[in-house]
């Protein structure tokens, strides 16, 4: 697995100097065929993987990601380093731009976890001193710009900001009536179009109330990463910063439990619109909060019950991105361009398996880790997998699927 990951990360490595900003870049792109640019949360996962094979490259991956961090703290969800080389491909994307080379969206804030992994090497302290001010500014940007109601939960303003682009949990809210790419693109334009009329100014976008989602997946990652950032700040001696971030992490976790958890179904649901209506569709988002250490035991038990139920999530190759008994569940199809409507992804498995371990459910964690490794060994690094057959689909040579290496290390840790 280590050799296969090394080869993959050499094939997908992009290096050069960008004339538009004058900076050097060196990063792993998600997939040469479909995603040749630098994506935010993908790059964070790549840094986690790189920390096992080359900690120097893990740090370089993060340097490239932060190279174009904005003075206000914002970091784009895509940096189009070599835009001119891929104009044809770019014309097929639905993306909102801040500049021709930077998108104007966020993605799930996995940055602190990536920095923690990249700082485990020998020169980790110097690396932290270099990047932490920008990392802190990024989380402060999320807190001040993306949490206008101050409840501890940040809001996404477009479906692609959650990284779960076509998930059925947004269908009703977006007015999507059929699972086709044309419907999804039209829905995206109904949201992003009006934003142009307010020059994409965040407060004005919020008041339009076209798509305001306090997303459970995003906020779970936000809570966990604030906690991790708190411990990184403590490591550098910034006690005040550490206390502030840990308090913010606790506030986000409390808000997830008090506002998004539904005790009657035992699932977490996103909150939509300024009226904060729960989007009651059972997807992998409903389960990822299991990674949070402070979750009440009764909530953990409920999530474990769903993960163990073969009519919902306990498939041969778990964890499907949508519960199998949801009417919107769609098995993967070779000609589909839709993502997050049923298949199993390795990044959500990475969170869920760790969460299960944290709460002592080692057997279930091992099953998820073992099957995640199996699908990669059988079908290579694909974008996602059929939860029933384990067959791979979507992009080939897909870089974050190499998180299988991290899952394998956890699995083997039990044997030593
Ligand atoms: C798709 C995914 C998104 C990912 C991107 C690049 O758009 O939905 O989460 O970041 O591809 O891999």
């Amino acid at each position: 697995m280590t050799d296969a990951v090394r080869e993959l990360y050499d094939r997908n490595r992009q290096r050069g100097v960008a004339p538009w900003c004058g900076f050097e870049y060196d990063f792993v792109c998600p997939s040469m065929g479909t995603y040749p640019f630098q994506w935010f949360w993908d790059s964070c996962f790549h840094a986690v993987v790189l920390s096992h094979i080359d900690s120097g490259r893990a740090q370089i991956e993060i340097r490239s990601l932060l190279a174009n961090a904005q003075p206000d703290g914002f970091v784009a969800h895509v940096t189009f380093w070599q835009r001119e080389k891929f104009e044809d491909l770019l014309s097929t994307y639905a993306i909102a731009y801040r500049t021709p080379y930077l998108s104007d969206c966020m993605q799930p804030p996995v940055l602190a976890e990536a920095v923690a992994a990249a700082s485990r090497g020998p020169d980790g302290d110097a690396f932290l001193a270099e990047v932490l001010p920008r990392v802190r500014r990024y989380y402060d940007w999320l807190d001040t710009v993306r949490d206008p109601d101050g409840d501890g939960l940040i809001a996404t303003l477009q479906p692609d900001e959650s990284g779960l682009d076509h998930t059925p949990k947004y269908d009703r809210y977006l007015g999507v009536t059929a699972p086709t790419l044309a419907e999804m693109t039209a829905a995206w334009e109904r949201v992003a179009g009006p934003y142009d009329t307010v020059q994409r100014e965040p407060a004005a976008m919020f008041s339009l109330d076209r798509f305001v989602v306090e997303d459970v997946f995003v906020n779970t990652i936000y809570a966990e990463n604030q906690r991790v950032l708190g411990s990184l700040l403590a490591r550098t001696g910034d006690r005040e910063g550490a206390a502030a971030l840990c308090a913010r992490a606790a506030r986000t976790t409390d808000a997830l439990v008090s506002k998004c958890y539904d005790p009657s179904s035992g699932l977490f649901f996103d909150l939509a619109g300024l009226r904060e209506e729960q989007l009651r569709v059972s997807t992998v988002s409903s389960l990822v909060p299991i990674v949070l250490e402070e979750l009440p035991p009764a909530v953990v038990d409920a999530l474990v019950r769903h993960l163990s139920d073969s009519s919902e999530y306990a498939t041969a190759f778990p964890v499907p991105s949508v519960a199998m008994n949801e009417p919107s569940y769609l098995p993967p199809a070779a000609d589909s361009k839709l993502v997050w409507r049923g298949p199993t992804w390795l990044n959500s498995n990475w969170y869920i398996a760790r969460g299960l371990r944290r709460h002592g459910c080692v057997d279930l964690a091992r099953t998820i880790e073992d099957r995640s490794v199996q699908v990669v060994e059988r079908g290579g690094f694909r974008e996602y997998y059929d939860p029933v057959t384990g067959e791979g689909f979507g992009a080939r040579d897909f870089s974050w699927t190499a998180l299988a290496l991290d899952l394998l290390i956890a699995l083997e840790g039990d044997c030593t």
Side-chain angles (χ1 to χ4, degrees):
M1 179 67 81
T2 307
D3 288 344
V5 169
R6 214 173 254 132
E7 283 162 25
L8 172 72
Y9 277 30
D10 283 343
R11 281 199 296 282
N12 287 356
R13 187 172 188 175
Q14 307 280 313
R15 273 189 288 184
V17 178
W20 56 270
C21 59
F23 298 140
E24 273 183 46
Y25 58 87
D26 183 349
F27 67 96
V28 178
C29 74
S31 166
M32 286 303 294
T34 42
Y35 310 114
F37 307 110
Q38 186 170 25
W39 263 263
F40 183 97
W41 74 329
D42 298 69
S43 239
C44 293
F45 294 128
H46 304 164
V48 170
V49 174
L50 281 165
S51 72
H52 295 302
I53 58 174
D54 182 340
S55 62
R57 267 185 74 187
Q59 297 181 1
I60 288 171
E61 180 89 16
I62 288 168
R63 282 197 188 100
S64 291
L65 182 63
L66 293 178
N68 291 288
Q70 301 292 292
D72 64 356
F74 171 79
V75 180
H77 101 296
V78 189
T79 307
F80 299 95
W81 287 106
Q82 309 174 74
R83 186 187 166 117
E84 287 74 13
K85 232 169 105 180
F86 300 101
E87 288 292 355
D88 286 350
L89 182 64
L90 213 53
S91 63
T92 66
Y93 290 177
I95 286 224
Y97 294 95
R98 183 174 274 218
T99 78
Y101 299 96
L102 299 176
S103 74
D104 191 41
C105 296
M106 55 165 283
Q107 246 188 350
V110 191
L111 183 59
E113 285 176 285
V115 168
S119 70
R120 274 186 222 118
D123 42 3
D125 288 342
F127 174 68
L128 280 187
E130 172 195 337
V131 299
L132 273 189
R134 275 172 295 168
V135 175
R136 173 73 200 262
R137 260 200 302 283
Y138 170 68
Y139 287 92
D140 287 349
W141 178 85
L142 289 171
D143 179 46
T144 51
V145 176
R146 287 311 186 93
D147 182 12
D149 61 2
D151 63 355
L153 301 173
I154 49 173
T156 53
L157 288 161
Q158 287 178 197
D160 42 336
E161 289 202 314
S162 66
L164 313 171
D165 308 28
H166 310 129
T167 171
K169 68 185 183 177
Y170 305 145
D171 281 1
R172 199 176 46 83
Y173 181 46
L174 281 171
V176 165
T177 51
T180 65
L181 189 61
E183 275 273 319
M184 298 296 161
T185 310
W188 186 89
E189 275 158 8
R190 283 196 296 276
V191 172
Y195 289 165
D196 288 339
T197 65
V198 295
Q199 288 74 51
R200 299 191 59 87
E201 197 279 309
M205 288 195 278
F206 275 111
S207 6
L208 287 175
D209 204 6
R210 306 292 302 196
F211 185 95
V212 177
V213 174
E214 291 175 318
D215 191 291
V216 170
F217 205 131
V218 171
N219 278 286
T220 298
I221 289 175
Y222 183 50
E224 176 63 6
N225 276 265
Q226 290 178 114
R227 187 187 67 77
V228 171
L229 176 56
S231 61
L232 292 176
L233 291 168
R235 190 169 136 193
T236 63
D238 178 359
R239 280 210 235 140
E240 208 178 299
L245 265 294
C246 290
R248 268 152 62 175
R251 198 166 59 114
T252 303
T253 302
D254 289 350
L256 274 166
V257 174
S258 65
K259 298 178 84 167
C260 302
Y261 183 65
D262 168 43
S264 64
S265 61
L267 293 166
F268 285 82
F269 296 117
D270 297 0
L271 307 177
L274 299 179
R275 290 173 46 213
E276 300 193 332
E277 276 174 53
Q278 285 192 350
L279 298 178
R280 304 175 63 85
V281 181
S282 178
T283 70
V284 73
S285 290
S286 305
L287 309 174
V288 285
I290 198 153
V291 81
L292 302 173
E293 260 158 28
E294 284 75 31
L295 224 50
V299 176
V300 173
D301 290 349
L303 299 182
V304 170
R305 272 200 298 282
H306 288 288
L307 280 162
S308 312
D309 186 333
S310 58
S311 68
E312 299 176 64
Y313 291 102
T315 57
F317 298 93
V319 177
S321 43
V322 178
M324 304 289 286
N325 60 356
E326 274 289 347
S328 56
Y329 169 84
L330 265 188
D335 56 351
S336 170
K337 296 228 170 349
L338 299 182
V339 289
W340 295 103
R341 296 191 71 97
T344 294
W345 295 70
L346 281 244
N347 62 340
S348 42
N349 278 6
W350 185 66
Y351 279 107
I352 291 173
R354 272 192 302 147
L356 286 166
R357 281 183 179 275
R358 283 181 180 175
H359 294 289
C361 307
V362 178
D363 287 348
L364 198 45
R366 285 179 63 86
T367 302
I368 293 171
E369 290 157 0
D370 175 64
R371 301 303 151 75
S372 301
V373 172
Q374 264 189 44
V375 290
V376 173
E377 282 174 352
R378 286 166 36 169
F381 298 99
R382 297 299 297 267
E383 193 171 4
Y384 43 81
Y385 300 86
D386 188 311
V388 178
T389 66
E391 193 187 343
F393 285 88
R396 289 173 191 279
D397 266 0
F398 188 70
S399 301
W400 88 35
T401 296
L403 285 169
L405 178 61
D406 198 83
L407 293 167
L408 183 57
I409 291 167
L411 196 56
E412 289 184 337
D414 287 343
C415 309
T416 53

